[in-house]
C-alpha cells in the first residue's frame, strides 16, 4: 500500500539530497499484533485521519490494516461511508483488550444513509482489517492488541 502522506515534503527533501522522515498515518514501520499475527498499519490519530479512514480504497493488502487511536475510551461507532472494502472492525479498550467486534462489515456507497456499527463497550483503539481476519484468527473478546514500539498514544 503506497504511503502518500507528506509526499511533497519528502520529494522536495530528496531533490535537495536530504532525507526527512514523514510522520503521521503512514504505514511504514507501524505495526500491531493480535492473536500472534502482525499487521502493518496506518495510524489515524487525529480527527481528519479518523474521518477519512479507509474511504475510497479499492483494496487492502492481506497483512495491512488501519489503527484508529482516540484520546479516551468511549462508546464508538463506525460507518462505511465511501468505503469500498469489506472490513472487520475491532474495538479495544484503554488496556488494549478486545471489547467488541463487528465482522464482515459490507462496503457502503449510500453516503449519509450508511448504517453505523457500534462498539458494545467503551473503546479507545479501533483496528480495521480485511473482512474475515477476525474469524480466521479466532478472535474473542478479551484478546489483547500489542502495539509496535513506534506507536505511542498520548496518555
Amino acid at each position: 500500500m503506497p504511503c502518500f502522506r507528506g509526499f511533497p515534503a519528502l520529494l522536495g527533501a530528496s531533490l535537495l539530497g536530504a532525507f526527512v522522515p514523514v510522520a503521521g498515518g503512514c504505514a511504514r514501520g507501524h505495526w500491531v499484533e493480535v492473536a500472534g499475527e502482525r499487521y502493518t498499519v496506518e495510524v489515524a490519530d487525529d480527527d481528519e485521519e479518523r474521518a477519512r479512514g479507509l474511504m475510497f480504497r479499492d483494496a487492502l493488502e492481506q497483512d495491512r490494516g488501519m489503527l484508529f487511536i482516540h484520546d479516551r475510551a468511549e462508546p464508538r461507532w463506525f460507518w462505511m461511508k465511501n468505503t469500498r472494502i469489506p472490513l472487520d472492525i475491532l474495538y479495544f479498550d484503554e488496556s488494549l483488550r478486545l471489547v467488541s467486534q463487528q465482522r464482515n462489515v459490507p462496503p457502503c456507497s449510500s453516503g449519509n444513509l450508511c448504517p453505523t456499527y457500534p462498539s458494545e463497550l467503551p473503546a479507545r483503539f479501533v483496528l480495521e482489517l480485511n473482512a474475515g481476519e477476525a474469524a480466521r484468527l479466532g478472535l474473542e473478546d478479551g484478546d489483547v492488541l500489542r502495539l509496535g514500539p513506534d506507536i505511542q498514544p498520548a496518555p
Side-chain angles (χ1 to χ4, degrees), residues 67 91-99 125 142-147 153:
L67 178 67
Y91 297 92
F92 296 85
D93 65 11
E94 287 276 351
S95 62
L96 299 168
R97 294 211 175 271
L98 184 61
V99 294
F125 303 90
D143 285 346
V144 177
L145 179 69
R146 183 172 157 227
L147 304 179

Side-chain angles (χ1 to χ4, degrees), residues 68-137:
F68 297 80
I69 302 175
H70 297 274
D71 295 331
R72 62 191 159 280
E74 294 180 343
R76 303 268 171 219
W77 55 90
F78 276 47
W79 66 348
M80 299 289 283
K81 179 180 178 181
N82 299 319
T83 303
R84 302 172 180 161
I85 311 162
L87 297 171
D88 288 342
I89 305 171
L90 308 171
Y91 297 92
F92 296 85
D93 65 11
E94 287 276 351
S95 62
L96 299 168
R97 294 211 175 271
L98 184 61
V99 294
S100 187
Q101 304 178 52
Q102 294 284 351
R103 294 183 180 191
N104 299 309
V105 177
C108 185
S109 59
S110 300
N112 291 339
L113 299 177
C114 293
T116 58
Y117 298 91
S119 62
E120 294 176 19
L121 295 171
R124 180 171 180 206
F125 303 90
V126 181
L127 178 62
E128 289 184 339
L129 300 173
N130 281 304
E133 284 296 290
R136 184 181 73 77
L137 296 171

